[in-house]
Amino acid sequence: MTRRTLKLTCICFLRVCLPQVTAKTAFLFILPQYNVSVPAADGELVHYHYGLKDLVTILFYIFIAIILHAVVQEYALDKINRRLHLSKVKHSKFNESGQLVAFHLTSALWCLYVVVTEGYVSNPRSLWESYPHVYLPFQVKFFYLCQLAYWLHALPELYFQKVRKEEIPRQLQYIALYLVHVAGAYLLNLTRLGLILLLLQYLAEFFFHMARLVYFTDENNEKLFNVWAVVFVVTRLFTLTLYILVIGFGLPRVENQALDPERGNFFTCLFSAPARMSVLLLVCLFQASVMWRFIHFQLRRWREYWNEQSARKRAAAAASGYHENGVVKAENGTSPRTKKLKSP
């Protein structure tokens, strides 16, 4: 199935099927469900909690994500690819990074708007105070539903985009990690902490994929990789600090320490001193593994850079060689011709 056929199929579904249902059923697809009135100082506020009907809403926005994916691919990335004439490997990576740049930028700006307007940045204690955060504002719940829809839509896109078999395990691991994080924060009522962590992660991912796009257009331009390296280290430090602050000091001080799944309280009774230290140790080990992969990537990149620089110096020295018996010789007496390298 081509992207154009896929897009037309999704549009036909939305235009034909939805008008046949009643307005009440249509709202089930489009709007978040399970709204409740929560008392507030200036009256009542409408908040939301989660339930099985969320799956219907997520399904609707999966179709929306597929359509938007096809639009970005057809009207932006494909046009750029025709001008660049990339190889098949680079073509696939360019499409992947192009889609993720658009998504990460949109999600980071949206997430920043949510955490600022809800006051999670100005009041860090709100990340753990009044846990469990069962009732969510509209924009928080809608953000999580859209995030789940996007990462679920990425699974069929592996088939539609004809991803190479050797790339599928890496892509599945990438998608699964995001799904576990987003769904875990949503279902365990840690949405406030999850928003901050997503914001930090999306900022780092945006700079990485933007650096890849610039590199594919000009292989001599790697400045954005240096920017990404700084942003990555800073976001890792902030992420580790948030985990220690919330898990180590915040949640153990919550008044209600009883396990109560019906009321959404999953964590507080588990945060005895040994359990808390075990969770923090696992978090630190995971962050250490991420930093190790990052350091390994940087070392490999620097090694390739210095090898390339020494190859250029050798070529320059060979080009400035001397003549001996009518034959051009390099300074060491060898032929200045270099071996032709295979293209990647």
Side-chain angles (χ1 to χ4, degrees):
M1 181 184 292
T2 62
R3 288 190 296 270
R4 184 181 295 273
T5 305
L6 173 64
K7 183 174 65 175
L8 291 176
T9 303
C10 295
I11 292 174
C12 289
F13 170 80
L14 297 177
R15 287 184 176 179
V16 176
C17 296
L18 287 184
Q20 304 299 323
V21 299
T22 62
K24 184 177 181 180
T25 308
F27 287 141
L28 180 63
F29 286 89
I30 300 172
L31 298 177
Q33 303 300 307
Y34 303 105
N35 57 311
V36 294
S37 296
V38 179
D42 53 349
E44 290 186 347
L45 297 176
V46 178
H47 280 53
Y48 298 81
H49 59 96
Y50 62 79
L52 291 177
K53 292 181 181 179
D54 290 342
L55 297 176
V56 180
T57 310
I58 291 173
L59 177 63
F60 173 80
Y61 285 101
I62 286 176
F63 284 102
I64 298 296
I66 291 174
I67 294 173
L68 293 177
H69 189 114
V71 169
V72 172
Q73 183 67 45
E74 185 170 346
Y75 294 104
L77 298 179
D78 284 349
K79 291 183 178 180
I80 299 174
N81 275 318
R82 293 190 194 101
R83 295 182 180 181
L84 296 178
H85 304 289
L86 299 174
S87 63
K88 286 187 176 181
V89 176
K90 290 184 178 180
H91 179 86
S92 175
K93 292 182 179 180
F94 185 89
N95 289 337
E96 176 191 353
S97 292
Q99 293 286 348
L100 289 175
V101 160
F103 170 73
H104 287 314
L105 178 61
T106 304
S107 296
L109 293 176
W110 187 5
C111 190
L112 179 63
Y113 174 80
V114 172
V115 298
V116 170
T117 55
E118 294 297 331
Y120 302 152
V121 176
S122 59
N123 182 20
R125 289 188 176 183
S126 62
L127 298 180
W128 63 81
E129 283 183 344
S130 304
Y131 178 83
H133 307 133
V134 178
Y135 300 113
L136 308 175
F138 172 84
Q139 60 180 354
V140 175
K141 175 164 183 173
F142 189 61
F143 177 82
Y144 271 93
L145 293 180
C146 291
Q147 292 295 310
L148 290 171
Y150 179 87
W151 291 112
L152 287 173
H153 112 281
L155 295 173
E157 284 292 348
L158 295 177
Y159 169 75
F160 297 139
Q161 295 293 325
K162 298 180 180 179
V163 178
R164 294 182 304 162
K165 290 183 178 180
E166 56 269 23
E167 287 288 322
I168 289 180
R170 179 184 66 84
Q171 295 268 20
L172 288 176
Q173 182 183 10
Y174 187 78
I175 295 169
L177 286 174
Y178 273 106
L179 281 175
V180 168
H181 175 87
V182 177
Y186 185 63
L187 297 176
L188 298 177
N189 299 311
L190 290 169
T191 50
R192 299 179 184 181
L193 175 62
L195 282 171
I196 304 295
L197 295 178
L198 278 178
L199 176 60
L200 295 173
Q201 179 66 19
Y202 285 164
L203 282 176
E205 289 289 309
F206 167 75
F207 281 103
F208 172 72
H209 290 287
M210 194 67 200
R212 284 218 308 183
L213 290 180
V214 173
Y215 175 76
F216 289 141
T217 57
D218 181 9
E219 293 188 356
N220 295 320
N221 191 345
E222 298 187 4
K223 294 180 180 179
L224 269 182
F225 278 110
N226 298 327
V227 177
W228 164 70
V230 175
V231 174
F232 181 86
V233 173
V234 172
T235 54
R236 289 304 99 193
L237 291 176
F238 271 102
T239 298
L240 186 58
T241 303
L242 275 175
Y243 273 119
I244 296 175
L245 181 65
V246 176
I247 297 177
F249 299 98
L251 288 177
R253 296 183 179 181
V254 175
E255 294 181 1
N256 184 12
Q257 297 288 332
L259 178 64
D260 191 356
E262 294 183 358
R263 295 186 178 181
N265 193 339
F266 296 97
F267 271 105
T268 50
C269 74
L270 302 178
F271 281 98
S272 58
R276 186 166 66 250
M277 294 303 297
S278 299
V279 172
L280 289 177
L281 179 61
L282 290 176
V283 169
C284 291
L285 288 176
F286 176 76
Q287 295 298 323
S289 67
V290 172
M291 285 299 300
W292 169 249
R293 289 197 296 268
F294 168 77
I295 294 172
H296 179 72
F297 171 79
Q298 292 295 328
L299 291 176
R300 185 181 63 183
R301 191 166 70 90
W302 288 337
R303 192 185 310 116
E304 292 174 354
Y305 172 77
W306 288 114
N307 289 340
E308 182 182 354
Q309 292 297 316
S310 27
R312 289 181 179 179
K313 289 181 180 179
R314 286 195 300 268
S320 61
Y322 60 90
H323 288 76
E324 182 178 317
N325 297 329
V327 180
V328 178
K329 295 289 185 178
E331 294 181 359
N332 58 1
T334 60
S335 174
R337 291 178 298 177
T338 57
K339 294 183 180 179
K340 185 178 181 181
L341 299 176
K342 294 183 180 180
S343 58

